[in-house]
Amino acid sequence: MSETSIEGVIRNHPFLRDLNPEHVKTLAACAMVCSFAPGEHIFHEGDPANRFYLIETGEVGIEAHGEEGEPIRVQTLGSGDVLGWSWLFPPYYWHFDARALAPTTAVFFYGTRLREQCETDPLLGYELLRRVSQVLLDRLQATRGRLLALTRQSAAAARSPTPGPR
């Protein structure tokens, strides 16, 4: 994919739609296209967070570690979603694992380089922070909804009579 087409993808992606054209060029200079095979880890919890992705096609699972170390899917992301926000907030380490669930293509951004650009261009920094904050709010609300559903499910299970011995 050429830089011009990367600029087009950035310009048209829901996360960055209507971004200032100069900021699109700045982002394109920090970007490249990448792909992941099903089952391939994109990042691991605790590793340095130095990048983020605009998902073009495919599906990515965000996972936490369960008590036995098994992965627990927290959320599934797909086309039009943004993956990774930890690159923007100290201490810059991933808080979850991310793994491709299907063949996935994305635009990869070098977060460290982009943070430097945000420092020199506060309008770009504000715009990215505003957009990432909206993603965080949306995901927090989705998590809240899942927790409420699990609480209702658990309460219903506790109220239902358990069959006794025969």
Side-chain angles (χ1 to χ4, degrees):
M1 187 178 279
S2 70
E3 184 169 312
T4 303
S5 57
I6 285 178
E7 284 184 23
V9 169
I10 292 168
R11 190 178 309 105
N12 293 313
H13 194 278
F15 178 69
L16 295 172
R17 194 169 287 135
D18 300 323
L19 191 66
N20 173 313
E22 286 305 310
H23 292 157
V24 170
K25 288 181 182 184
T26 299
L27 286 169
C30 301
M32 65 182 227
V33 174
C34 61
S35 61
F36 302 96
E40 184 177 351
H41 274 88
I42 299 169
F43 52 77
H44 294 278
E45 178 182 350
D47 285 350
N50 52 12
R51 60 197 181 278
F52 79 103
Y53 305 85
L54 301 180
I55 301 173
E56 283 298 296
T57 63
E59 202 168 67
V60 174
I62 306 298
E63 300 172 338
H65 297 281
E67 288 185 24
E68 302 291 321
E70 77 283 355
I72 298 170
R73 175 106 24 90
V74 175
Q75 189 167 31
T76 302
L77 304 177
S79 178
D81 285 325
V82 61
L83 171 64
W85 49 266
S86 299
W87 68 276
L88 193 53
F89 302 102
Y92 311 116
Y93 289 98
W94 296 118
H95 297 271
F96 297 96
D97 288 354
R99 187 171 48 88
L101 304 175
T104 300
T105 59
V107 175
F108 163 102
F109 294 90
Y110 293 96
T112 306
R113 191 166 156 204
L114 199 47
R115 276 196 316 268
E116 292 168 359
Q117 293 292 327
C118 290
E119 291 293 327
T120 61
D121 183 349
L123 291 177
L124 173 62
Y126 170 76
E127 196 58 41
L128 288 175
L129 186 59
R130 185 180 69 79
R131 291 166 189 249
V132 168
S133 296
Q134 186 61 54
V135 169
L136 291 171
L137 180 61
D138 292 346
R139 292 191 184 160
L140 181 61
Q141 291 297 340
T143 301
R144 179 179 179 261
R146 283 194 304 278
L147 286 173
L148 289 172
L150 286 172
T151 301
R152 279 189 230 109
Q153 193 176 30
S154 179
R159 285 191 304 269
S160 68
T162 55
R166 292 186 181 188

